[in-house]
Amino acid sequence: MSEDRIILEPSWKQRVGAALEDPRMQALASFLRAEKAAGKTIYPRGSQIFAALDSTPFEAVKVVILGQDPYHGPGQAHGLSFSVPEGVAVPPSLQNMYKEIARDLSLPRPQGGCLSSWAEQGVLLLNAVLTVEHGKAGSHQGKGWEEFTDACIGALAEEREGVVFLLWGSYAQAKGRLIDSRRHLVLKAPHPSPLSAHRGFFGCGHFSLANRYLKQNGQTAIEWAPAAD
């Protein structure tokens, strides 16, 4: 995966562009080319693979919400974790996030599932794995993306102060090893999936806790109610 052929937002390219030259990333690029050559459908489309980084420059990041891998249904994935394009049905995990926002902040539940307004406010919506095969959740895990997103999280943890990291589920929480909780706010809860949300995601209060921390550190709070379609 040649660094000079990858279009990354400049502030991110400065910090993690070199990671694209790692042998694991070169192997990943070869894997993706082979999968496409075999006729497999890969989500999201190439221009959206790095959408999370493109949407939220390094110095603008206030909050990180770490997902696992992209949605694997047609038309769902567009490069932002938990988000879907406008007009696409809201997936169950995001529905549960909206339920917790409504409970936590007394906000109405949005109808749409596009979270670009969060990204524009400084919420980095980053999946640990940035691609997936159609219909096969987790199909690109262990192919090299984890090392790249580790580099993204590590750069934020090392160079920035006062970032809120929302780590939901064991997969996201594994990234916690990269973060100094004395310099950042690290909040952990079960994943908002219907399989686990009732084990502690509901009632976690992460959205209000994040805003309180941001305001205590001289930053503006996040408007957590995305505009309706």
Side-chain angles (χ1 to χ4, degrees):
M1 196 171 287
S2 178
E3 183 182 349
D4 60 3
R5 292 200 299 268
I6 293 293
I7 300 174
L8 275 183
E9 192 280 329
S11 67
W12 281 107
K13 189 165 187 175
Q14 175 186 343
R15 290 161 174 92
V16 300
L20 298 172
E21 293 298 303
D22 184 273
R24 286 295 302 272
M25 295 302 292
Q26 300 290 333
L28 171 63
S30 297
F31 165 77
L32 292 173
R33 286 193 295 267
E35 292 289 277
K36 290 178 181 179
K40 295 181 180 179
T41 300
I42 305 300
Y43 302 129
R45 64 174 183 264
S47 63
Q48 295 180 325
I49 289 175
F50 297 105
L53 305 182
D54 295 339
S55 300
T56 312
F58 184 85
E59 294 295 346
V61 176
K62 298 178 181 180
V63 179
V64 178
I65 298 181
L66 191 67
Q68 190 160 332
D69 58 355
Y71 295 122
H72 53 82
Q76 291 182 304
H78 66 143
L80 304 178
S81 65
F82 293 102
S83 180
V84 291
E86 291 185 4
V88 175
V90 179
S93 291
L94 183 54
Q95 289 276 18
N96 287 338
M97 290 163 61
Y98 285 171
K99 289 178 184 177
E100 176 58 17
I101 289 170
R103 186 209 64 80
D104 188 19
L105 296 170
S106 299
L107 293 172
R109 275 190 237 171
Q111 298 303 307
C114 182
L115 303 180
S116 59
S117 66
W118 292 5
E120 292 163 4
Q121 295 178 74
V123 181
L124 180 63
L125 296 164
L126 184 68
N127 281 312
V129 175
L130 299 186
T131 57
V132 71
E133 182 183 343
H134 167 75
K136 295 186 178 180
S139 51
H140 290 183
Q141 290 178 15
K143 302 296 184 181
W145 280 127
E146 290 91 344
E147 287 79 4
F148 176 74
T149 54
D150 276 0
C152 295
I153 298 297
L156 282 170
E158 182 175 342
E159 293 189 40
R160 295 285 310 281
E161 296 273 353
V163 175
V164 181
F165 291 87
L166 303 183
L167 306 181
W168 299 331
S170 58
Y171 198 86
Q173 289 166 17
K175 298 278 193 191
R177 73 189 188 284
L178 304 168
I179 307 162
D180 185 347
S181 59
R182 295 167 297 183
R183 297 174 58 191
H184 305 280
L185 179 62
V186 180
L187 298 174
K188 299 179 180 180
H191 195 277
S193 160
L195 297 175
S196 55
H198 291 278
R199 299 176 193 159
F201 178 80
F202 292 136
C204 69
H206 283 184
F207 301 96
S208 62
L209 290 170
N211 277 352
R212 186 180 311 152
Y213 180 84
L214 291 174
K215 288 188 283 188
Q216 288 171 346
N217 285 273
Q219 300 188 73
T220 55
I222 304 298
E223 292 289 341
W224 288 113
D229 289 354

